[in-house]
Amino acid sequence: MKIIVIGATGTIGSAVVGALAKRHEVVRVGNKKGDHRVDLASPDSLKKLFRAVAPFDAVICAAGLAKFRPLKELTDEDFELGFSNKLMGQINVVRLGLAQIADYGSFTLTSGVLSQEPMPGSAAISPVNAGIEGFVRAAALEMPRGVRINAVSPPWVKETLVALGMDPSSGMPAASVAKAYAESVEGTKNGLVIDARAFA
Ligand SMILES: NC(=O)c1ccc[n+]([C@@H]2O[C@H](COP(=O)([O-])OP(=O)(O)OC[C@H]3O[C@@H](n4cnc5c(N)ncnc54)[C@H](OP(=O)(O)O)[C@@H]3O)[C@@H](O)[C@H]2O)c1
């Protein structure tokens, strides 16, 4: 398969590339690095990416910005970042990639466990993750030509906790999280939110 990985240079995305590149042709997409560059918040840049790479069999999005900050400190801009980048950006990956994706292809988006298991500081992230999951369940009902769509919901990733200087003991290694993405692309799941913790 020819698989586009948006966020391929990131913590999760690079592990996803590592899991899939031996078996598939992987197109690595980042924001500042990668074979191609894209800004999730810009529909024009997504259109340009899909035009340049088509035809393709699958798109994985392991990118998306949202603000983690106490509720009383969150600004309009903080909320807007998550809505325009992580939520609408991923919805646009599907809307703008749909015309060019192959029959029986697949989209895999990224939410996060904070949709179902919030914590103090997640008030601008939890609704974004829940929105992605709602979109995936609804959009699956209208995918044409056998195209599938799922979201992967990662827990805190071990490498991310290390980078943030937090206790990594509860984190899941990115390589294990990547197995959930591989399952979404290579399996038959459709319209599902795949909890990456099942692949620990
Ligand atoms: N890590 C975790 O613990 C965790 C847990 C749950 C959910 N998630 C979610 O998983 C996704 C990936 O997280 P991560 O930790 O792997 O992120 P990361 O290490 O910060 O990597 C982000 C990736 O996205 C790209 N990117 C940044 N801004 C972008 C933009 N505007 N448009 C398109 N691509 C952009 C980066 O490209 P460049 O390298 O070129 O800048 C990079 O490839 C995020 O949506 C995050 O919310 C992460």
Side-chain angles (χ1 to χ4, degrees):
M1 277 189 270
K2 183 174 178 182
I3 304 172
I4 300 175
V5 178
I6 300 174
T9 54
T11 309
I12 293 175
S14 57
V16 170
V17 171
L20 293 173
K22 287 188 208 93
R23 298 189 291 275
H24 304 282
E25 179 189 352
V26 174
V27 180
R28 297 163 173 81
V29 180
N31 183 238
K32 299 185 189 71
K33 300 172 282 194
D35 306 332
H36 294 265
R37 290 164 201 195
V38 79
D39 179 7
L40 263 187
S42 160
D44 281 346
S45 93
L46 287 169
K47 282 181 201 162
K48 210 170 126 196
L49 169 70
F50 293 134
R51 268 201 306 268
V53 178
F56 48 86
D57 301 290
V59 183
I60 292 171
C61 185
L65 303 174
K67 207 69 168 186
F68 190 84
R69 183 176 274 179
L71 177 58
K72 65 178 182 344
E73 293 173 20
L74 282 167
T75 64
D76 289 353
E77 290 73 25
D78 292 335
F79 280 99
E80 179 56 28
L81 175 71
F83 292 139
S84 63
N85 193 300
K86 185 167 179 177
L87 177 59
M88 205 57 218
Q90 294 199 84
I91 290 174
N92 280 337
V93 164
V94 178
R95 294 173 69 220
L96 301 171
L98 195 52
Q100 283 135 313
I101 199 162
D103 293 358
Y104 304 101
S106 69
F107 292 97
T108 304
L109 308 185
T110 298
S111 61
V113 295
L114 293 174
S115 62
Q116 306 299 323
E117 298 168 23
M119 60 191 285
S122 77
I125 300 181
S126 294
V128 164
N129 288 349
I132 292 158
E133 295 175 1
F135 172 75
V136 160
R137 292 188 182 101
L141 304 175
E142 299 186 43
M143 286 288 112
R145 301 182 285 105
V147 174
R148 298 179 299 106
I149 177 169
N150 297 299
V152 170
S153 175
W156 281 104
V157 172
K158 199 176 268 297
E159 291 87 339
T160 301
L161 292 172
V162 169
L164 293 173
M166 292 162 69
D167 175 9
S169 57
S170 63
M172 186 168 167
S176 301
V177 172
K179 292 179 193 164
Y181 290 84
E183 167 74 15
S184 175
V185 174
E186 297 176 328
T188 57
K189 288 184 165 60
N190 188 27
L192 297 180
V193 176
I194 302 170
D195 189 331
R197 292 175 295 193
F199 296 81

